[in-house]
Amino acid sequence: MSEQTASAPPPSRAEIFTLAWPLGLKAVMVHGVIAIDAFLVAPLGEKALAAMGLAGAIGGLLLGFQFAFSTASQIRIAQAFGSGEKVPLKTGFYVGLLINLFLALAGIALVLVFGDFILNTFAHTPWIAQQAQSYLMVFLWMVVFEAFGHAFTSHFNGTGETKMAFYSQLISIPINVCVSIVLIHGLYGMPALGVTGAALGTAAGSLARVAFLAQRFWSKTGAYLDVVGWRNDSFVEATRRHMRFALPIAATFSSVTVTNSVCSFLFAKMSVNAFAAMTVIMPWIHMAGVFSIAWAQATGIIVAQLLGRHTSPGDLDIFLSRAWRVSFAASGIVSLTYLGVCLASGWIYAELQEETRAALWSFLPVLLLLPFPKGSNAICGNTLRAGGDTVYVMNIFLSSQWLFRIPLTALFILYWDLSVTWVFALFLGEELVKFPLFHWRLFQKRWQAGGLSE
């Protein structure tokens, strides 16, 4: 490592923003499509929304596992990019793609075996179960497409080209929305497929997105066909070490995915109005909150690159303090965005029953507070992962989810029969549980010894 590289000044807020804004807008678009689907399906009634929410819980679980391992691949690629070596870049991409494809095929097999049983168990009516099953069968195509899409996105994000995933959404979303509108409502002589039409739109948009990313990947890298060899001199050994690095990170994100799916199934045990309210608000939470989360993700990518360059602890502290101040401001903007969503809910979802809209309004106090601890926790988590402190981050997530949110959600819904407002408040409670654990570990600064290992 050259002295010039090691002594380079810490990245500025503008450099973080250059990475963060495409991540944020891309995530807004992803969750925005879900919100649009909910908006398009809403005229069909609460039962149609419940069917989409139930199928989405399973589909989100499958995609969540891919995202979990892709996040670990992204960190490996970022560290390799910081070191300037091509062999680790090639290895990180192909190992990540192999893992994603395996997860997609395994997930599809499990859905085909157990999907009907799960849907029939949690659906309020046979019609909801049938509609959810139809949606899910189409959604499985998207799971295959996104195995490739996540691999391409991890590579581009890790190498600092976060705009690529954003551009892919600019292609995907118009296709998704147009196909969904036509097929949900049966326009232009097409069949009116209802909820299934939304799934077909999502799959069509995903295919277009992946095709764009594949073309750009080939154009920029030639798929690394001219790079000889693998990291650790063996693809098998590289895969083993990649998995050892990735498993704590993947377990963390997989736990988040499983937790969200379990909670969604528990939400389905509430009244149809309460479940519909949760189905409507969750995409908005993800969509508005991604700006602060994207900032934290960009911070983690840069930290991984800086550690790959062996940047000094002092410069790492300077960089992180810059990132943290903006994160707090971003959380304030997210909080105001949630307020706007609640104020406009009567207009956006005019077809919903009054009880459903009242439940949406009851979420407001939690929505105003949630972004601040969530954004700060995200900065800590992404920084600690970049420094290799992945097991500790995993333990925080697992304990807060499986010892706090899931048990209390089950108690609130199945035994105490509390209102949906109290159930929703557990999202804030989980972040408050994680807050002191994350910040104490970060201030110990053990993560600063991390970097490109093995």
Side-chain angles (χ1 to χ4, degrees):
M1 183 64 59
S2 68
E3 185 64 29
Q4 182 180 2
T5 302
S7 61
S12 64
R13 285 188 287 269
E15 290 176 280
I16 311 174
F17 181 75
T18 299
L19 280 183
W21 75 259
L23 292 173
L25 289 181
K26 178 253 183 182
V28 165
M29 291 176 177
V30 171
H31 296 297
V33 168
I34 300 173
I36 291 171
D37 284 349
F39 173 74
L40 295 174
V41 171
L44 303 179
E46 273 80 0
K47 290 183 179 180
L49 280 172
M52 190 175 73
L54 190 57
I58 298 177
L61 184 66
L62 301 183
L63 293 179
F65 285 125
Q66 291 182 10
F67 176 79
F69 278 93
S70 296
T71 300
S73 297
Q74 179 174 288
I75 295 174
R76 292 290 267 190
I77 290 170
Q79 291 176 339
F81 182 73
S83 72
E85 300 176 14
K86 283 193 174 183
V87 170
L89 283 172
K90 168 190 172 183
T91 304
F93 170 77
Y94 281 105
V95 171
L97 176 60
L98 175 66
I99 294 171
N100 287 352
L101 289 172
F102 173 80
L103 291 172
L105 295 177
I108 290 171
L110 290 173
V111 167
L112 294 177
V113 174
F114 300 107
D116 283 344
F117 171 77
I118 295 173
L119 293 175
N120 286 317
T121 299
F122 289 94
H124 286 84
T125 67
W127 184 88
I128 292 177
Q130 186 273 326
Q131 290 295 305
Q133 174 71 7
S134 179
Y135 183 101
L136 188 58
M137 289 300 100
V138 176
F139 195 89
L140 292 180
W141 284 102
M142 181 181 174
V143 173
V144 176
F145 300 152
E146 287 302 320
F148 292 90
H150 280 129
F152 292 133
T153 299
S154 293
H155 180 273
F156 285 125
N157 287 350
T159 57
E161 296 188 77
T162 55
K163 292 180 183 178
M164 287 300 171
F166 167 64
Y167 293 151
S168 73
Q169 291 298 332
L170 292 179
I171 296 172
S172 172
I173 285 181
I175 295 173
N176 187 332
V177 172
C178 290
V179 173
S180 294
I181 291 174
V182 170
L183 294 181
I184 288 173
H185 301 288
L187 304 179
Y188 308 112
M190 300 298 290
L193 300 178
V195 173
T196 306
L200 285 167
T202 301
S206 175
L207 178 59
R209 181 179 101 85
V210 172
F212 168 79
L213 289 174
Q215 189 278 327
R216 297 311 301 160
F217 179 76
W218 175 264
S219 175
K220 287 182 172 292
T221 68
Y224 293 114
L225 297 182
D226 60 338
V227 178
V228 179
W230 300 99
R231 191 176 181 182
N232 310 116
D233 299 319
S234 166
F235 184 77
V236 173
E237 178 64 16
T239 302
R240 186 186 69 81
R241 297 195 183 196
H242 185 110
M243 286 294 294
R244 188 166 67 185
F245 175 86
L247 280 174
I249 300 174
T252 300
F253 282 92
S254 297
S255 177
V256 172
T257 301
V258 173
T259 297
N260 290 337
S261 295
V262 170
C263 288
S264 293
F265 291 133
L266 291 172
F267 298 157
K269 289 297 185 181
M270 298 185 291
S271 69
V272 172
N273 294 93
F275 186 38
M278 295 293 281
T279 300
V280 165
I281 198 61
M282 291 310 297
W284 288 106
I285 290 176
H286 296 311
M287 185 169 59
V290 294
F291 283 112
S292 58
I293 299 302
W295 185 265
Q297 187 179 1
T299 299
I301 290 172
I302 293 178
V303 167
Q305 293 175 352
L306 292 175
L307 291 172
R309 299 170 194 161
H310 306 289
T311 302
S312 69
D315 284 344
L316 288 171
D317 287 339
I318 293 172
F319 165 74
L320 203 56
S321 66
R322 291 172 180 171
W324 222 318
R325 286 193 292 270
V326 178
S327 176
F328 186 82
S331 296
I333 295 173
V334 172
S335 183
L336 293 176
T337 303
Y338 290 152
L339 174 61
V341 171
C342 289
L343 291 173
S345 61
W347 169 72
I348 298 174
Y349 302 108
E351 300 88 354
L352 297 182
Q353 298 174 11
E354 185 62 32
E355 182 180 345
T356 305
R357 291 201 297 271
L360 291 174
W361 264 105
S362 73
F363 299 156
L364 182 58
V366 171
L367 291 172
L368 294 178
L369 296 175
L370 181 62
F372 295 97
K374 187 173 183 178
S376 192
N377 285 342
I379 288 283
C380 293
N382 280 279
T383 301
L384 292 172
R385 288 190 197 102
D389 202 359
T390 56
V391 174
Y392 184 84
V393 175
M394 177 188 69
N395 289 336
I396 291 178
F397 273 94
L398 266 60
S399 59
S400 64
Q401 290 159 1
W402 295 95
L403 300 180
F404 178 81
R405 181 147 72 97
I406 288 180
L408 287 183
T409 299
L411 287 173
F412 282 17
I413 295 174
L414 301 179
Y415 295 98
W416 297 340
D417 196 24
L418 297 181
S419 71
V420 67
T421 308
W422 284 105
V423 174
F424 186 75
L426 292 175
F427 288 99
L428 176 60
E430 180 186 357
E431 296 300 330
L432 296 178
V433 168
K434 293 188 292 189
F435 191 88
L437 300 173
F438 267 135
H439 291 72
W440 173 78
R441 187 70 163 192
L442 188 77
F443 290 136
Q444 285 186 315
K445 299 186 178 181
R446 297 178 184 176
W447 58 273
Q448 294 182 345
L452 187 62
S453 59
E454 298 189 302

